[in-house]
Amino acid sequence: MKKHLLFALALAAAFAQPASALPTPSRKTLPAFASEQELADLFKGWSEEARRRVAARRASRADGPAMAIAKSELAQAPAAAAKEAESVTNVQHAGVDEGGIVKLHGDHLVILRRGRLFTVAVNDRQLRPVSYANAYGEGIEPRGAWYDEMLLWDDTVVVIGYSYARGGTEIGLFRISAEGELTHRATYHLRSNDYYSSRNYASRLVGSKLVFYTPLYLNPWHGNYEDALPALRRWRPGATSAEFRRIAPATRIYRSDEPLDPFRGLALHSVTVCDLAQAEMSCESAAVLGPRGRVFYVSAGSVYVWNVNSAVFRIPLDGSAPSALKANGSPVDQFSFLEGEDGYLNVLVRSSGRGEGMWGAESRPGALSLLRVPLASFSDGRDAAPPHAYRPLPRTEGHALQSRYVGDYLLYGTGAGWRRPAGAADGRPKDAPLGRVYAVDYARGGQAHEVPLPHGVDRIEALGAHAVAVGSDGRNLHFTSLRLARTPAASGSYVRANAAQGETRSHGFFYKAEGGEEGIIGLPVIGGGESAGRQLRRESAAVLYLRNRSLALSELGELEARAGGAEDHCRASCVDWYGNSRPLFLRGRVFALLGYEIVEGRLRGGRILEANRVHFAPATVELAR
């Protein structure tokens, strides 16, 4: 443990600003720009400096590779990216829904797949395709757009996508009737850069409020600075970029005290809240100007953004001013964070990281620490978390770090992630553990408990007050239940031979609690040894169901895919970035979403058996009509 303590202390000393202890509770916040003129003057100065640099390089005949590098670095991200219902989504926080591929409206499942919306009736023990619609408005050319996420509020279905052709996040609003019929209402465009992450979700829903974190990367070589500010437009055929309207005045744009050098990369870290309860959707943004960063987390009251200079911004959802705190290291993904009910923010940080953009979360974690700070320590950004706020943690081997806060514990371990599962290395003793889960009582301290496992850790999920670790030994899929008592330990286990998990996304798993320490686990599976990356183009082979009884795990059975690849004449989102298979538990019934199939199962004699099946590919829905 000594080397971990030395790392934490050294890291804090190297990066923390000269601040002694955390300040007493303060209501200081980040300063906002006083006026539009002050904001314009800042951008004007950057633009003039950019022109001077261009002229100087030309004069010295150096406007060659060096200039090209400077421009490419600044343009890299935009050019590369250029009524409460029963939940069917495995969310991080109760009350904070996350954009997904399947939701429930009354007696209908609503499914987003390959650029289209589908509804399937599940009432009165029926299973029947009802309707489908393009996930984009009439007159919109969908090529170059990705429609990845869906949320549902009241009778409004919200489709969230990203359009490289139309300037950012695309928000499609659809009305769904009690009969499951879909009608396009409106489409909006929110100016943003690409948001895609291999783990996180772009959107959240808190009540009727639709929430986005969208980075906007600043480029002093670009012309009009207003083109980089948060803006919204309603789509119509022939709409132009001039129709974008600012939704963040200068007095809602804040700045950290960190040096702002646009030639080294800056971003407007924008949080947009849109009210779906309004007849005409209205949106407002707040933004923090600071170094780039791509790890963000949404609690019920705030969005937290961690930038590359290791500062974390707290941007409230109620419209009040943001605050900040200097910190060290880098979180892996949204599951590294927990805003606790005790008034503390907990963050699992690693010594280095590339954020969560694309597959940045899959890199080696390096040395690890747990940062724990009171929310009252966030202020105007000049204060830093002191060394004693970091708790060094045991280091893990492997690339894809997985973590979850369950009950009083932070649990973490590493596995294959999107890669092909790796087995035991040559020369490893036969009974040696292949993986480990570490359990840390994050609030009360104490030692980090190591739990050896015969498999890697590709997923950690809650089983009520306890947990389950899921991973591969290279050929077989293991489920190990974890009893989170005073001394956490492995409890039960189940091994599915020649299998691997078919979905890496958190939404691929669901646990349906049935009271006490009982419930049913559902998880899509594929053949053993196959890379989880196949979820991008192929549905899972089946959804596997396990019974949990006091952490003893037993197989109930599986619901299999049969249809194979249906010809759907896909025009947009023809790769399943968010996967395509889900376990679903509705009103005492059990379903599996597998590509263009929904299969219903029924429990009989301790086994789950197929009871009904429906295909809902576009041609099938047309025939059903």
Side-chain angles (χ1 to χ4, degrees), residues 517-542:
E517 291 189 356
E518 294 197 10
I520 301 177
I521 294 169
L523 181 69
V525 295
I526 55 177
E530 293 188 80
S531 168
R534 82 193 286 284
Q535 67 190 297
L536 298 176
R537 296 190 179 275
R538 295 173 59 193
E539 63 269 16
S540 298

Side-chain angles (χ1 to χ4, degrees), residues 191-212:
R191 187 181 288 154
S192 71
N193 292 115
D194 193 357
Y195 57 76
Y196 180 69
S197 162
S198 60
R199 296 191 182 183
N200 209 342
Y201 305 98
S203 59
R204 303 292 193 277
L205 187 66
V206 182
S208 66
K209 302 299 192 297
L210 185 60
V211 180
F212 299 95

Side-chain angles (χ1 to χ4, degrees), residues 380-504:
D380 58 7
R382 291 179 293 179
D383 300 305
H388 65 73
Y390 299 86
R391 178 182 175 188
L393 300 177
R395 189 168 182 159
T396 64
E397 300 300 327
H399 289 82
L401 184 71
Q402 306 291 332
S403 65
R404 274 279 188 165
Y405 293 86
V406 181
D408 295 330
Y409 287 92
L410 163 65
L411 305 168
Y412 67 93
T414 54
W418 285 68
R419 298 174 175 83
R420 190 180 301 278
D426 292 339
R428 180 191 297 266
K430 183 178 180 180
D431 297 328
L434 187 59
R436 293 170 177 80
V437 161
Y438 291 94
V440 182
D441 188 329
Y442 62 86
R444 292 175 294 201
Q447 70 180 88
H449 300 274
E450 178 184 325
V451 182
L453 301 172
H455 56 88
V457 181
D458 291 316
R459 180 182 293 276
I460 302 172
E461 301 284 357
L463 296 183
H466 303 286
V468 63
V470 183
S472 175
D473 63 8
R475 197 64 188 171
N476 307 309
L477 182 63
H478 294 247
F479 295 72
T480 300
S481 59
L482 304 169
R483 184 170 296 280
L484 301 181
R486 182 181 297 274
T487 302
S491 182
S493 67
Y494 168 82
V495 182
R496 178 59 177 260
N498 193 29
Q501 72 164 355
E503 293 276 349
T504 62

Side-chain angles (χ1 to χ4, degrees), residues 11 40 46 77 79 81 125 228 242 295 358 365 370 378 398 464 488 527 551 571 601:
L11 194 63
W46 287 345
R125 295 288 169 183
V295 186
M358 296 304 283
L370 174 64
F378 282 79
L551 300 184
R571 296 183 62 200

Side-chain angles (χ1 to χ4, degrees), residues 34-51:
S35 64
E36 294 292 339
Q37 188 61 53
E38 183 183 6
L39 183 63
D41 288 345
L42 177 66
F43 280 93
K44 180 180 178 182
W46 287 345
S47 180
E48 290 173 350
E49 175 61 21
R51 287 194 293 270

